[in-house]
CSV table of all heavy atoms in Angstrom, one decimal:
chain,number,residue,atom,x,y,z
Z,1,MET,N,264.0,154.5,116.6
Z,1,MET,CA,264.5,153.4,115.8
Z,1,MET,C,263.3,152.4,115.4
Z,1,MET,O,263.2,151.5,115.7
Z,1,MET,CB,265.6,152.7,116.4
Z,1,MET,CG,265.2,152.2,117.9
Z,1,MET,SD,266.5,151.0,118.5
Z,1,MET,CE,265.8,149.5,118.0
Z,2,SER,N,262.6,153.0,114.4
Z,2,SER,CA,261.5,152.2,113.9
Z,2,SER,C,261.7,151.8,112.5
Z,2,SER,O,261.3,152.5,111.5
Z,2,SER,CB,260.1,152.9,114.1
Z,2,SER,OG,260.1,154.1,113.4
Z,3,GLU,N,262.3,150.7,112.3
Z,3,GLU,CA,262.5,150.1,110.9
Z,3,GLU,C,261.2,149.7,110.5
Z,3,GLU,O,260.4,149.2,111.1
Z,3,GLU,CB,263.5,148.9,111.0
Z,3,GLU,CG,264.9,149.3,110.9
Z,3,GLU,CD,265.8,148.0,110.9
Z,3,GLU,OE1,265.8,147.3,110.1
Z,3,GLU,OE2,266.5,147.9,111.9
Z,4,THR,N,261.1,150.0,109.1
Z,4,THR,CA,259.7,149.5,108.5
Z,4,THR,C,259.8,148.0,108.1
Z,4,THR,O,260.5,147.6,107.2
Z,4,THR,CB,259.3,150.3,107.4
Z,4,THR,OG1,260.4,150.5,106.4
Z,4,THR,CG2,258.7,151.7,107.7
Z,5,VAL,N,259.2,147.2,109.0
Z,5,VAL,CA,259.3,145.7,108.7
Z,5,VAL,C,258.0,145.4,108.0
Z,5,VAL,O,256.9,145.8,108.3
Z,5,VAL,CB,259.3,145.0,110.0
Z,5,VAL,CG1,259.3,143.4,109.7
Z,5,VAL,CG2,260.4,145.3,111.0
Z,6,PRO,N,258.1,144.8,106.8
Z,6,PRO,CA,256.9,144.3,106.0
Z,6,PRO,C,255.9,143.5,107.0
Z,6,PRO,O,256.4,142.8,107.8
Z,6,PRO,CB,257.4,143.5,104.9
Z,6,PRO,CG,258.8,143.2,105.2
Z,6,PRO,CD,259.3,144.3,106.2
Z,7,GLN,N,254.7,143.7,106.7
Z,7,GLN,CA,253.7,143.0,107.5
Z,7,GLN,C,253.9,141.5,107.4
Z,7,GLN,O,254.2,140.8,106.5
Z,7,GLN,CB,252.3,143.2,107.0
Z,7,GLN,CG,251.8,144.5,107.3
Z,7,GLN,CD,250.5,144.5,108.1
Z,7,GLN,OE1,249.6,144.0,107.8
Z,7,GLN,NE2,250.5,145.2,109.3
Z,8,HIS,N,254.1,140.9,108.6
Z,8,HIS,CA,254.4,139.5,108.7
Z,8,HIS,C,253.9,138.9,110.0
Z,8,HIS,O,253.4,139.6,111.0
Z,8,HIS,CB,255.9,139.2,108.6
Z,8,HIS,CG,256.5,139.8,109.8
Z,8,HIS,ND1,256.9,141.1,110.0
Z,8,HIS,CD2,257.1,139.1,110.9
Z,8,HIS,CE1,257.6,141.2,111.2
Z,8,HIS,NE2,257.7,140.1,111.9
Z,9,ALA,N,253.8,137.6,110.0
Z,9,ALA,CA,253.3,136.8,111.3
Z,9,ALA,C,254.5,135.9,111.8
Z,9,ALA,O,255.5,136.1,111.2
Z,9,ALA,CB,252.2,135.9,110.9
Z,10,HIS,N,254.3,135.3,112.8
Z,10,HIS,CA,255.3,134.6,113.4
Z,10,HIS,C,254.8,133.1,113.5
Z,10,HIS,O,253.7,132.8,113.8
Z,10,HIS,CB,255.7,134.9,114.7
Z,10,HIS,CG,256.5,136.3,114.7
Z,10,HIS,ND1,257.8,136.4,114.4
Z,10,HIS,CD2,256.1,137.6,114.8
Z,10,HIS,CE1,258.2,137.6,114.5
Z,10,HIS,NE2,257.1,138.5,114.7
Z,11,CYS,N,255.7,132.2,113.2
Z,11,CYS,CA,255.3,130.8,113.2
Z,11,CYS,C,254.9,130.4,114.7
Z,11,CYS,O,255.6,130.8,115.7
Z,11,CYS,CB,256.7,129.9,112.9
Z,11,CYS,SG,256.4,128.2,113.1
Z,12,HIS,N,253.9,129.7,114.8
Z,12,HIS,CA,253.3,129.5,116.2
Z,12,HIS,C,254.2,128.5,117.0
Z,12,HIS,O,254.1,128.5,118.2
Z,12,HIS,CB,251.9,128.8,116.1
Z,12,HIS,CG,250.8,129.9,115.6
Z,12,HIS,ND1,249.5,129.8,116.1
Z,12,HIS,CD2,250.9,130.9,114.8
Z,12,HIS,CE1,248.8,130.8,115.6
Z,12,HIS,NE2,249.6,131.5,114.8
Z,13,ILE,N,255.2,127.8,116.4
Z,13,ILE,CA,256.0,126.8,117.0
Z,13,ILE,C,257.3,127.4,117.3
Z,13,ILE,O,257.7,127.6,118.5
Z,13,ILE,CB,256.1,125.7,116.2
Z,13,ILE,CG1,254.7,124.8,116.1
Z,13,ILE,CG2,257.0,124.5,116.8
Z,13,ILE,CD1,254.0,124.4,117.4
Z,14,CYS,N,258.0,127.9,116.4
Z,14,CYS,CA,259.3,128.3,116.5
Z,14,CYS,C,259.5,129.9,116.6
Z,14,CYS,O,260.5,130.3,117.0
Z,14,CYS,CB,260.3,127.7,115.5
Z,14,CYS,SG,260.0,128.4,113.9
Z,15,GLY,N,258.3,130.6,116.2
Z,15,GLY,CA,258.4,132.1,116.3
Z,15,GLY,C,259.3,132.7,115.0
Z,15,GLY,O,259.4,133.9,115.1
Z,16,LYS,N,259.6,132.0,114.0
Z,16,LYS,CA,260.2,132.5,112.9
Z,16,LYS,C,259.2,133.5,112.1
Z,16,LYS,O,258.0,133.2,112.2
Z,16,LYS,CB,260.6,131.3,111.9
Z,16,LYS,CG,262.1,131.4,111.5
Z,16,LYS,CD,262.2,130.4,110.4
Z,16,LYS,CE,263.1,129.2,110.9
Z,16,LYS,NZ,263.3,128.1,110.0
Z,17,ALA,N,259.8,134.5,111.6
Z,17,ALA,CA,259.0,135.4,110.7
Z,17,ALA,C,258.5,134.7,109.4
Z,17,ALA,O,259.3,134.1,108.8
Z,17,ALA,CB,259.6,136.7,110.4
Z,18,ILE,N,257.1,134.9,109.1
Z,18,ILE,CA,256.5,134.2,108.1
Z,18,ILE,C,255.6,135.0,107.4
Z,18,ILE,O,255.1,136.0,108.0
Z,18,ILE,CB,255.9,132.8,108.5
Z,18,ILE,CG1,255.0,133.0,109.7
Z,18,ILE,CG2,256.8,131.7,108.5
Z,18,ILE,CD1,254.1,131.9,110.0
Z,19,PRO,N,255.2,134.8,106.1
Z,19,PRO,CA,254.2,135.6,105.5
Z,19,PRO,C,252.8,135.7,106.3
Z,19,PRO,O,252.6,134.7,106.9
Z,19,PRO,CB,253.9,134.8,104.1
Z,19,PRO,CG,255.2,134.1,103.9
Z,19,PRO,CD,255.7,133.7,105.2
Z,20,LEU,N,252.1,136.8,106.2
Z,20,LEU,CA,251.0,137.1,107.0
Z,20,LEU,C,250.0,135.8,107.1
Z,20,LEU,O,249.4,135.6,108.0
Z,20,LEU,CB,250.3,138.4,106.6
Z,20,LEU,CG,250.4,139.5,107.6
Z,20,LEU,CD1,249.3,140.6,107.1
Z,20,LEU,CD2,250.1,139.1,108.9
Z,21,LYS,N,249.7,135.4,105.8
Z,21,LYS,CA,248.6,134.4,105.6
Z,21,LYS,C,249.0,132.9,106.2
Z,21,LYS,O,248.3,132.2,106.4
Z,21,LYS,CB,248.2,134.2,104.2
Z,21,LYS,CG,249.2,134.0,103.3
Z,21,LYS,CD,248.7,134.1,101.8
Z,21,LYS,CE,249.8,133.9,100.8
Z,21,LYS,NZ,249.3,134.0,99.4
Z,22,GLU,N,250.3,132.9,106.5
Z,22,GLU,CA,250.8,131.5,107.0
Z,22,GLU,C,250.8,131.6,108.5
Z,22,GLU,O,250.6,132.7,109.2
Z,22,GLU,CB,252.3,131.4,106.6
Z,22,GLU,CG,252.4,131.3,105.2
Z,22,GLU,CD,252.0,130.1,104.5
Z,22,GLU,OE1,251.9,129.0,105.1
Z,22,GLU,OE2,251.6,130.2,103.2
Z,23,THR,N,250.6,130.4,109.2
Z,23,THR,CA,250.7,130.4,110.5
Z,23,THR,C,251.9,129.6,111.1
Z,23,THR,O,252.3,129.7,112.2
Z,23,THR,CB,249.4,129.7,111.2
Z,23,THR,OG1,249.0,128.6,110.6
Z,23,THR,CG2,248.2,130.6,111.2
Z,24,LEU,N,252.4,128.7,110.1
Z,24,LEU,CA,253.5,128.0,110.6
Z,24,LEU,C,254.6,128.0,109.4
Z,24,LEU,O,254.2,128.2,108.3
Z,24,LEU,CB,253.2,126.5,110.8
Z,24,LEU,CG,252.0,126.4,111.9
Z,24,LEU,CD1,251.3,125.2,111.7
Z,24,LEU,CD2,252.8,126.4,113.2
Z,25,CYS,N,255.8,127.8,109.7
Z,25,CYS,CA,256.9,128.0,108.7
Z,25,CYS,C,257.2,126.7,107.9
Z,25,CYS,O,257.6,126.7,106.7
Z,25,CYS,CB,258.1,128.6,109.4
Z,25,CYS,SG,259.0,127.4,110.4
Z,26,SER,N,257.1,125.5,108.5
Z,26,SER,CA,257.5,124.4,107.8
Z,26,SER,C,256.7,123.2,108.1
Z,26,SER,O,255.8,123.3,109.0
Z,26,SER,CB,259.1,124.0,108.1
Z,26,SER,OG,259.0,123.7,109.5
Z,27,ASP,N,256.8,122.1,107.4
Z,27,ASP,CA,256.0,120.8,107.7
Z,27,ASP,C,256.5,120.3,109.1
Z,27,ASP,O,255.4,119.8,109.7
Z,27,ASP,CB,256.4,119.8,106.5
Z,27,ASP,CG,255.6,120.1,105.2
Z,27,ASP,OD1,254.6,120.9,105.3
Z,27,ASP,OD2,256.0,119.6,104.2
Z,28,ALA,N,257.5,120.4,109.5
Z,28,ALA,CA,258.0,120.0,110.8
Z,28,ALA,C,257.2,120.7,111.9
Z,28,ALA,O,256.7,120.1,112.9
Z,28,ALA,CB,259.5,120.1,111.0
Z,29,CYS,N,257.0,122.0,111.7
Z,29,CYS,CA,256.3,122.9,112.7
Z,29,CYS,C,254.9,122.5,112.6
Z,29,CYS,O,254.1,122.4,113.6
Z,29,CYS,CB,256.6,124.3,112.4
Z,29,CYS,SG,258.2,124.9,113.1
Z,30,LYS,N,254.4,122.3,111.4
Z,30,LYS,CA,253.0,122.0,111.2
Z,30,LYS,C,252.7,120.6,112.1
Z,30,LYS,O,251.6,120.5,112.7
Z,30,LYS,CB,252.6,121.7,109.7
Z,30,LYS,CG,251.8,122.8,109.1
Z,30,LYS,CD,251.7,122.7,107.6
Z,30,LYS,CE,252.2,124.1,107.1
Z,30,LYS,NZ,252.2,124.1,105.6
Z,31,GLN,N,253.5,119.7,111.9
Z,31,GLN,CA,253.4,118.4,112.5
Z,31,GLN,C,253.3,118.6,114.1
Z,31,GLN,O,252.5,118.1,114.8
Z,31,GLN,CB,254.5,117.4,112.2
Z,31,GLN,CG,254.0,116.0,112.0
Z,31,GLN,CD,255.0,115.1,111.2
Z,31,GLN,OE1,256.1,115.6,111.0
Z,31,GLN,NE2,254.6,114.1,110.7
Z,32,GLN,N,254.4,119.4,114.6
Z,32,GLN,CA,254.5,119.6,115.9
Z,32,GLN,C,253.2,120.4,116.5
Z,32,GLN,O,252.7,120.1,117.5
Z,32,GLN,CB,255.6,120.5,116.1
Z,32,GLN,CG,256.4,120.2,117.4
Z,32,GLN,CD,257.8,121.1,117.5
Z,32,GLN,OE1,258.4,121.0,116.6
Z,32,GLN,NE2,257.9,121.5,118.7
Z,33,TYR,N,252.6,121.3,115.5
Z,33,TYR,CA,251.5,122.1,116.0
Z,33,TYR,C,250.3,121.2,116.2
Z,33,TYR,O,249.5,121.4,117.1
Z,33,TYR,CB,251.3,123.2,114.9
Z,33,TYR,CG,250.3,124.1,115.3
Z,33,TYR,CD1,250.5,124.9,116.4
Z,33,TYR,CD2,249.0,124.3,114.5
Z,33,TYR,CE1,249.4,125.9,116.8
Z,33,TYR,CE2,248.1,125.3,114.8
Z,33,TYR,CZ,248.3,126.0,116.0
Z,33,TYR,OH,247.3,126.9,116.3
Z,34,THR,N,250.0,120.3,115.2
Z,34,THR,CA,248.9,119.4,115.3
Z,34,THR,C,249.0,118.5,116.5
Z,34,THR,O,248.0,118.2,117.1
Z,34,THR,CB,248.7,118.6,114.1
Z,34,THR,OG1,250.0,118.0,113.6
Z,34,THR,CG2,248.2,119.3,113.0
Z,35,THR,N,250.2,118.0,116.8
Z,35,THR,CA,250.4,117.2,118.0
Z,35,THR,C,250.0,118.1,119.3
Z,35,THR,O,249.5,117.5,120.1
Z,35,THR,CB,251.9,116.8,118.1
Z,35,THR,OG1,252.5,116.5,116.8
Z,35,THR,CG2,252.0,115.5,119.0
Z,36,LEU,N,250.6,119.3,119.3
Z,36,LEU,CA,250.3,120.0,120.4
Z,36,LEU,C,248.8,120.4,120.5
Z,36,LEU,O,248.3,120.3,121.6
Z,36,LEU,CB,251.0,121.4,120.2
Z,36,LEU,CG,251.3,122.3,121.3
Z,36,LEU,CD1,252.6,122.1,121.9
Z,36,LEU,CD2,251.3,123.8,120.9
Z,37,LEU,N,248.2,120.5,119.4
Z,37,LEU,CA,246.6,120.8,119.6
Z,37,LEU,C,246.0,119.6,120.0
Z,37,LEU,O,245.1,119.7,121.0
Z,37,LEU,CB,246.1,121.2,118.1
Z,37,LEU,CG,246.3,122.6,117.7
Z,37,LEU,CD1,245.6,122.8,116.5
Z,37,LEU,CD2,245.8,123.6,118.7
Z,38,ARG,N,246.3,118.4,119.6
Z,38,ARG,CA,245.7,117.2,120.0
Z,38,ARG,C,245.9,117.0,121.5
Z,38,ARG,O,245.1,116.7,122.3
Z,38,ARG,CB,246.4,116.0,119.2
Z,38,ARG,CG,245.5,114.9,119.1
Z,38,ARG,CD,246.0,113.8,118.2
Z,38,ARG,NE,246.2,114.4,116.8
Z,38,ARG,CZ,247.1,113.8,116.0
Z,38,ARG,NH1,247.9,112.9,116.4
Z,38,ARG,NH2,247.2,114.4,114.8
Z,39,ARG,N,247.3,117.2,121.9
Z,39,ARG,CA,247.5,117.0,123.3
Z,39,ARG,C,246.7,118.1,124.2
Z,39,ARG,O,246.3,117.6,125.4
Z,39,ARG,CB,249.0,117.3,123.5
Z,39,ARG,CG,249.5,116.6,124.8
Z,39,ARG,CD,251.0,116.7,124.8
Z,39,ARG,NE,251.7,116.0,123.7
Z,39,ARG,CZ,253.1,116.1,123.4
Z,39,ARG,NH1,253.7,117.1,124.1
Z,39,ARG,NH2,253.5,115.6,122.4
Z,40,ARG,N,246.6,119.3,123.6
Z,40,ARG,CA,245.9,120.3,124.4
Z,40,ARG,C,244.4,119.8,124.6
Z,40,ARG,O,243.7,120.2,125.6
Z,40,ARG,CB,246.1,121.7,123.8
Z,40,ARG,CG,245.7,122.8,124.6
Z,40,ARG,CD,245.9,124.1,123.8
Z,40,ARG,NE,247.2,124.4,123.6
Z,40,ARG,CZ,247.7,125.5,122.9
Z,40,ARG,NH1,246.8,126.3,122.4
Z,40,ARG,NH2,249.0,125.8,122.8
Z,41,LYS,N,243.8,119.4,123.5
Z,41,LYS,CA,242.4,118.9,123.6
Z,41,LYS,C,242.2,117.8,124.6
Z,41,LYS,O,241.2,117.8,125.4
Z,41,LYS,CB,242.1,118.4,122.2
Z,41,LYS,CG,240.5,118.7,121.8
Z,41,LYS,CD,240.3,118.1,120.4
Z,41,LYS,CE,240.3,119.1,119.4
Z,41,LYS,NZ,239.9,118.6,118.0
Z,42,ILE,N,243.1,116.9,124.6
Z,42,ILE,CA,243.1,115.8,125.5
Z,42,ILE,C,243.1,116.3,127.0
Z,42,ILE,O,242.4,115.9,127.8
Z,42,ILE,CB,244.2,114.7,125.3
Z,42,ILE,CG1,244.0,114.1,123.9
Z,42,ILE,CG2,244.4,113.8,126.4
Z,42,ILE,CD1,245.2,113.2,123.5
Z,43,ILE,N,244.1,117.2,127.2
Z,43,ILE,CA,244.2,117.8,128.5
Z,43,ILE,C,243.0,118.5,129.0
Z,43,ILE,O,242.4,118.4,130.1
Z,43,ILE,CB,245.4,118.7,128.5
Z,43,ILE,CG1,246.7,118.0,128.5
Z,43,ILE,CG2,245.4,119.6,129.8
Z,43,ILE,CD1,248.0,118.8,128.3
Z,44,MET,N,242.3,119.2,128.0
Z,44,MET,CA,241.0,119.9,128.3
Z,44,MET,C,240.0,119.0,128.6
Z,44,MET,O,239.2,119.2,129.5
Z,44,MET,CB,240.6,120.7,127.0
Z,44,MET,CG,240.6,122.2,127.3
Z,44,MET,SD,240.3,123.2,125.8
Z,44,MET,CE,238.8,122.6,125.3
Z,45,TYR,N,239.9,117.8,128.0
Z,45,TYR,CA,238.9,116.8,128.1
Z,45,TYR,C,239.1,116.3,129.6
Z,45,TYR,O,238.2,116.1,130.4
Z,45,TYR,CB,238.9,115.6,127.2
Z,45,TYR,CG,238.4,115.9,125.9
Z,45,TYR,CD1,239.0,115.5,124.7
Z,45,TYR,CD2,237.2,116.6,125.8
Z,45,TYR,CE1,238.4,115.7,123.5
Z,45,TYR,CE2,236.6,116.9,124.6
Z,45,TYR,CZ,237.2,116.5,123.4
Z,45,TYR,OH,236.7,116.7,122.1
Z,46,ILE,N,240.4,116.0,129.9
Z,46,ILE,CA,240.7,115.4,131.3
Z,46,ILE,C,240.4,116.4,132.4
Z,46,ILE,O,239.6,116.2,133.4
Z,46,ILE,CB,242.2,115.2,131.3
Z,46,ILE,CG1,242.5,114.0,130.4
Z,46,ILE,CG2,242.6,114.8,132.8
Z,46,ILE,CD1,244.0,113.7,130.3
Z,47,MET,N,240.7,117.8,132.1
Z,47,MET,CA,240.3,118.9,133.1
Z,47,MET,C,238.8,118.9,133.2
Z,47,MET,O,238.3,118.9,134.3
Z,47,MET,CB,240.7,120.2,132.5
Z,47,MET,CG,242.2,120.5,133.2
Z,47,MET,SD,243.0,121.9,132.5
Z,47,MET,CE,241.6,123.2,132.7
Z,48,TYR,N,238.0,118.9,132.1
Z,48,TYR,CA,236.5,119.0,132.2
Z,48,TYR,C,236.0,117.7,132.9
Z,48,TYR,O,235.1,117.9,133.8
Z,48,TYR,CB,235.9,119.2,130.8
Z,48,TYR,CG,236.0,120.5,130.3
Z,48,TYR,CD1,236.4,120.6,129.0
Z,48,TYR,CD2,235.6,121.6,131.0
Z,48,TYR,CE1,236.5,121.9,128.4
Z,48,TYR,CE2,235.7,122.8,130.6
Z,48,TYR,CZ,236.1,123.1,129.2
Z,48,TYR,OH,236.1,124.4,128.7
Z,49,GLY,N,236.6,116.7,132.6
Z,49,GLY,CA,236.3,115.3,133.2
Z,49,GLY,C,236.4,115.4,134.7
Z,49,GLY,O,235.5,115.1,135.5
Z,50,SER,N,237.6,116.0,135.1
Z,50,SER,CA,237.8,115.9,136.6
Z,50,SER,C,236.9,117.0,137.2
Z,50,SER,O,236.6,116.8,138.4
Z,50,SER,CB,239.3,116.1,136.9
Z,50,SER,OG,239.8,117.1,136.0
Z,51,ILE,N,236.6,118.1,136.7
Z,51,ILE,CA,235.8,119.1,137.3
Z,51,ILE,C,234.5,118.6,137.5
Z,51,ILE,O,233.8,118.6,138.5
Z,51,ILE,CB,235.8,120.4,136.4
Z,51,ILE,CG1,237.2,121.1,136.5
Z,51,ILE,CG2,234.6,121.3,136.8
Z,51,ILE,CD1,237.3,122.2,135.4
Z,52,PHE,N,233.9,117.7,136.4
Z,52,PHE,CA,232.7,117.2,136.5
Z,52,PHE,C,232.6,116.1,137.6
Z,52,PHE,O,231.6,116.1,138.4
Z,52,PHE,CB,232.3,116.5,135.0
Z,52,PHE,CG,230.9,115.9,135.0
Z,52,PHE,CD1,229.9,116.7,134.8
Z,52,PHE,CD2,230.8,114.6,135.1
Z,52,PHE,CE1,228.6,116.1,134.9
Z,52,PHE,CE2,229.6,114.0,135.1
Z,52,PHE,CZ,228.5,114.9,134.9
Z,53,ALA,N,233.8,115.5,137.6
Z,53,ALA,CA,233.7,114.3,138.7
Z,53,ALA,C,233.7,115.0,140.1
Z,53,ALA,O,233.0,114.5,141.1
Z,53,ALA,CB,235.0,113.6,138.5
Z,54,ILE,N,234.4,116.1,140.2
Z,54,ILE,CA,234.5,116.7,141.6
Z,54,ILE,C,233.2,117.2,141.9
Z,54,ILE,O,232.6,117.1,143.2
Z,54,ILE,CB,235.5,117.9,141.6
Z,54,ILE,CG1,237.0,117.3,141.5
Z,54,ILE,CG2,235.4,118.8,142.7
Z,54,ILE,CD1,238.1,118.3,141.2
Z,55,ILE,N,232.5,117.9,141.0
Z,55,ILE,CA,231.2,118.4,141.2
Z,55,ILE,C,230.2,117.3,141.6
Z,55,ILE,O,229.3,117.3,142.5
Z,55,ILE,CB,230.7,119.2,140.0
Z,55,ILE,CG1,231.4,120.5,139.8
Z,55,ILE,CG2,229.1,119.5,140.0
Z,55,ILE,CD1,231.2,121.2,138.4
Z,56,ALA,N,230.4,116.2,140.8
Z,56,ALA,CA,229.3,115.1,141.0
Z,56,ALA,C,229.7,114.5,142.5
Z,56,ALA,O,228.7,114.2,143.2
Z,56,ALA,CB,229.7,114.0,140.1
Z,57,ILE,N,230.9,114.5,142.8
Z,57,ILE,CA,231.3,113.8,144.2
Z,57,ILE,C,230.7,114.9,145.3
Z,57,ILE,O,230.0,114.4,146.2
Z,57,ILE,CB,232.7,113.8,144.3
Z,57,ILE,CG1,233.2,112.6,143.5
Z,57,ILE,CG2,233.2,113.5,145.8
Z,57,ILE,CD1,234.8,112.6,143.3
Z,58,ILE,N,230.9,116.2,145.1
Z,58,ILE,CA,230.3,117.1,146.0
Z,58,ILE,C,228.8,116.9,146.1
Z,58,ILE,O,228.3,116.9,147.3
Z,58,ILE,CB,230.7,118.6,145.6
Z,58,ILE,CG1,232.2,118.8,145.8
Z,58,ILE,CG2,230.1,119.7,146.4
Z,58,ILE,CD1,232.8,119.9,145.2
Z,59,LEU,N,228.1,116.9,145.0
Z,59,LEU,CA,226.7,116.8,145.0
Z,59,LEU,C,226.2,115.5,145.7
Z,59,LEU,O,225.3,115.5,146.6
Z,59,LEU,CB,226.1,116.9,143.6
Z,59,LEU,CG,226.2,118.3,142.9
Z,59,LEU,CD1,225.7,118.1,141.5
Z,59,LEU,CD2,225.3,119.3,143.7
Z,60,LEU,N,227.0,114.4,145.3
Z,60,LEU,CA,226.5,113.2,145.9
Z,60,LEU,C,226.8,113.1,147.5
Z,60,LEU,O,225.9,112.7,148.2
Z,60,LEU,CB,227.3,112.1,145.4
Z,60,LEU,CG,226.8,111.7,143.9
Z,60,LEU,CD1,227.8,110.6,143.3
Z,60,LEU,CD2,225.5,111.1,143.9
Z,61,SER,N,227.8,113.7,147.9
Z,61,SER,CA,228.2,113.6,149.3
Z,61,SER,C,227.3,114.6,150.1
Z,61,SER,O,226.9,114.3,151.3
Z,61,SER,CB,229.7,113.9,149.6
Z,61,SER,OG,230.0,115.1,149.1
Z,62,SER,N,226.9,115.7,149.5
Z,62,SER,CA,226.0,116.7,150.3
Z,62,SER,C,224.7,116.1,150.3
Z,62,SER,O,223.9,116.4,151.2
Z,62,SER,CB,226.1,117.9,149.6
Z,62,SER,OG,225.5,118.0,148.3
Z,63,GLY,N,224.2,115.5,149.2
Z,63,GLY,CA,223.0,114.8,149.2
Z,63,GLY,C,222.7,113.8,150.3
Z,63,GLY,O,221.7,113.6,150.7
Z,64,SER,N,223.9,113.0,150.6
Z,64,SER,CA,223.7,111.9,151.5
Z,64,SER,C,223.8,112.4,152.9
Z,64,SER,O,223.5,111.5,153.9
Z,64,SER,CB,224.7,110.8,151.2
Z,64,SER,OG,226.0,111.4,151.4
Z,65,LEU,N,224.2,113.5,153.1
Z,65,LEU,CA,224.3,114.0,154.6
Z,65,LEU,C,222.9,114.5,155.1
Z,65,LEU,O,222.1,115.0,154.5
Z,65,LEU,CB,225.3,115.2,154.7
Z,65,LEU,CG,226.8,114.9,154.5
Z,65,LEU,CD1,227.6,116.2,154.4
Z,65,LEU,CD2,227.2,114.0,155.8
N,101,ZN,ZN1,258.4,127.1,112.6
């Protein structure tokens, strides 16, 4: 049962079928997507920051021993 579906992509937010060159279906999804990206970037900065802090703490505590 392989129906020939025309080439399409899916909205990154709601998963709706959209034209191939599109990534999002509506302005609402676009807004949600940018918010999501911004939040993800902030989380990444926090993660890198805490990893750096942990490494710094390990280095500092091992250096003082
Ligand atoms: Zn959408």
Side-chain angles (χ1 to χ4, degrees):
M1 48 170 269
S2 56
E3 272 181 62
T4 44
V5 182
Q7 287 240 305
H8 66 281
H10 290 277
C11 175
H12 285 217
I13 296 299
C14 66
K16 231 189 256 180
I18 44 167
L20 245 197
K21 54 185 174 179
E22 304 284 333
T23 47
L24 301 156
C25 68
S26 63
D27 282 340
C29 280
K30 252 169 236 179
Q31 215 161 20
Q32 217 173 314
Y33 188 61
T34 42
T35 325
L36 198 90
L37 281 186
R38 205 173 301 154
R39 202 172 299 163
R40 198 178 289 174
K41 207 181 267 183
I42 292 168
I43 290 170
M44 243 169 60
Y45 284 139
I46 292 170
M47 264 171 53
Y48 281 132
S50 43
I51 288 168
F52 184 78
I54 289 166
I55 289 170
I57 289 166
I58 290 169
L59 286 178
L60 284 174
S61 58
S62 67
S64 63
L65 284 173

